[in-house]
Amino acid sequence: MKVRIAYIEEPPFYWTGKDRAATGADIEWDMNVPIFATAERAKHVAFSVPVWSLGDGFVVRQGNPKALTSYEAVAARSDARLGIIPGQIQLGSAKSAGVSDGQIVMFKDQPEAVAALLAGKVDAFAATAVGNRVIADTHAELEAVAHEIGENSSAPVGAFSFRIGNDRLLHDVNRKLSEYLGSADHRSRMAKYGIMKTEIDSVIGR
């Protein structure tokens, strides 16, 4: 049986390597790649237990010329332009913080957004803080800015998704995940991609 898996070009979670094979932290699993578990998505799929927790952040030009450290900071500057990939969780977060439609520029994928940032077409690109560190590490002109998480809030979590009604498979996967998450092998696999204690420990046992 041939199984086809869809993914986007977003290191360190999944991307196409030089050998044209899929690689990345989430590709290390033998299933579909995890996605952010949101209430809207939960109407259409059943989610496993969380497998990571990822806070947001920006990629900006070196020196962060417009001091964009949060979505609220973007909303406070009418001249600030924020790059976002459609369908990702950052769009809702930005709008909830008051970022206007006129400040948001949509890009089809991460490489296109980064190119626009380098060209000065946007002032920041919003994605996960972990992913942004990878971008900044490969572009000397850019830096990553992680958003602070308040005391009464938590970072969004990601999980595997399943067809609603396939309860047996969901139960079996959750049982195995509860045994595996936080293990030495799990931490070793994730550490290769910069996913460390912060992103893992907050979902253990949830």
Side-chain angles (χ1 to χ4, degrees), residues 35-39 41-42 47-48 52 89 156-159:
I35 58 175
F36 280 112
T38 67
R41 290 172 176 174
F47 283 107
S48 71
W52 41 245
I89 197 170
V157 300

Side-chain angles (χ1 to χ4, degrees), residues 62-206:
Q62 277 291 343
N64 196 3
K66 294 187 178 178
L68 303 178
T69 58
S70 66
Y71 293 116
E72 289 78 11
V74 174
R77 292 197 57 146
S78 61
D79 65 337
R81 298 294 178 266
L82 180 65
I84 292 179
I85 297 175
Q88 296 203 342
I89 197 170
Q90 288 78 25
L91 178 60
S93 299
K95 288 191 171 184
S96 295
V99 179
S100 68
D101 289 339
Q103 292 178 285
I104 296 173
V105 182
M106 296 293 195
F107 297 99
K108 66 178 182 180
D109 55 26
Q110 186 186 88
E112 185 179 79
V114 171
L117 180 60
L118 289 168
K121 296 178 180 178
V122 293
D123 302 295
F125 166 55
T128 65
V130 171
N132 291 345
R133 292 198 296 266
V134 175
I135 296 173
D137 285 345
T138 55
H139 295 85
E141 311 96 316
L142 304 178
E143 66 176 274
V145 177
H147 295 175
E148 290 188 6
I149 300 175
E151 293 182 2
N152 298 320
S153 60
S154 58
V157 300
F160 295 109
S161 58
F162 301 83
R163 178 176 57 82
I164 292 177
N166 198 342
D167 297 335
R168 180 175 179 180
L169 177 60
L170 177 60
H171 176 270
D172 288 346
V173 169
N174 278 340
R175 179 169 53 83
K176 288 297 183 181
L177 285 174
S178 67
E179 297 172 359
Y180 183 70
L181 294 176
S183 67
D185 183 69
H186 175 231
R187 292 181 186 278
S188 176
R189 285 174 180 265
M190 297 301 100
K192 292 187 298 184
Y193 304 98
I195 297 177
M196 311 295 283
K197 180 181 177 69
T198 301
E199 292 79 29
I200 294 174
D201 285 3
S202 59
V203 300
I204 300 299
R206 290 181 60 166

Side-chain angles (χ1 to χ4, degrees), residues 5-66:
I5 303 297
Y7 64 94
I8 61 176
E9 298 292 328
E10 188 177 5
F13 310 105
Y14 18 72
W15 75 96
T16 305
K18 293 181 179 179
D19 61 355
R20 306 304 301 165
T23 188
D26 289 347
I27 298 294
E28 289 281 336
W29 305 87
D30 292 321
M31 295 173 54
N32 61 298
V33 295
I35 58 175
F36 280 112
T38 67
E40 181 61 30
R41 290 172 176 174
K43 296 177 183 177
H44 308 284
V45 297
F47 283 107
S48 71
V49 297
V51 296
W52 41 245
S53 176
L54 301 175
D56 274 3
F58 294 153
V59 181
V60 298
R61 289 190 291 279
Q62 277 291 343
N64 196 3
K66 294 187 178 178

